[in-house]
C-alpha cells in the first residue's frame, strides 16, 4: 500500500493506547510499519518540536508500506470508530477511501 509521511502519522495517531494483548501486538506491528525509518527521517528531514512534527516536501511522496490484511482491517475499524463518533476529518476520509479501495482489490 502506498502512503506518504502525513498519512502514516495520521494512522499512527489513530492507534488506541489500551487494549488486549492481541490488540497491543497489532499496534506494535503497525507502529513499526508506519513510523519512518532512520533513512526516511534523514531523507524527509522529519523533525519534532514539542507536539508538532514537520517534514520536507519529499514527505508528500507515496512509498510502499507492507501491511497485512489483519493490520488493514484493524485500521479500517479505527476509522469506523471515528465515523460512529462523528469525528472524521478530511484526512481520515481520504485514508478510509485508500483502505477500502485497497481491500476491494
Amino acid at each position: 500500500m502506498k502512503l506518504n509521511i502525513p498519512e502514516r502519522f495520521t494512522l499512527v495517531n489513530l492507534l488506541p493506547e489500551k487494549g488486549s494483548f492481541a490488540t497491543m501486538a497489532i499496534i506494535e506491528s503497525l507502529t513499526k510499519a508506519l513510523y519512518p525509518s532512520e533513512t526516511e527521517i534523514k531523507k524527509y528531514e522529519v523533525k519534532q518540536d514539542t507536539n508538532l512534527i514537520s517534514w520536507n516536501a519529499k514527505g508528500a511522496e507515496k512509498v510502499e508500506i507492507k501491511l497485512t490484511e489483519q493490520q488493514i482491517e484493524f485500521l479500517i475499524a479505527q476509522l469506523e470508530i471515528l465515523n460512529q463518533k462523528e469525528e472524521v476529518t478530511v484526512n481520515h476520509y481520504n485514508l478510509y477511501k485508500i483502505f477500502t479501495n485497497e481491500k476491494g482489490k
Side-chain angles (χ1 to χ4, degrees):
M1 171 171 297
K2 291 196 174 228
L3 298 167
N4 62 29
I5 293 292
E7 291 166 339
R8 290 161 63 184
F9 279 123
T10 299
L11 289 169
V12 168
N13 286 330
L14 284 178
L15 301 176
E17 294 182 21
K18 297 178 182 179
S20 66
F21 288 118
T23 300
M24 290 295 114
I26 294 170
I27 291 168
E28 180 180 44
S29 68
L30 278 167
T31 300
K32 287 179 184 176
L34 294 170
Y35 268 132
S37 66
E38 284 186 42
T39 304
E40 289 177 311
I41 289 170
K42 290 177 186 174
K43 177 180 177 180
Y44 303 126
E45 299 174 1
V46 177
K47 295 180 175 83
Q48 183 171 2
D49 181 28
T50 313
N51 291 331
L52 182 65
I53 299 174
S54 62
W55 49 85
N56 63 23
K58 291 180 187 176
E61 298 171 1
K62 294 195 180 241
V63 297
E64 188 66 32
I65 304 295
K66 295 191 186 284
L67 297 175
T68 66
E69 186 67 29
Q70 184 181 33
Q71 290 170 324
I72 291 170
E73 287 176 10
F74 185 84
L75 290 168
I76 291 171
Q78 297 308 305
L79 290 164
E80 288 174 348
I81 289 169
L82 286 179
N83 184 47
Q84 291 169 359
K85 295 179 181 178
E86 295 188 9
E87 295 177 357
V88 175
T89 66
V90 171
N91 293 335
H92 298 133
Y93 178 68
N94 290 333
L95 284 166
Y96 186 79
K97 290 192 311 187
I98 290 168
F99 278 94
T100 55
N101 286 340
E102 183 70 23
K103 194 170 183 230
K105 287 185 179 179

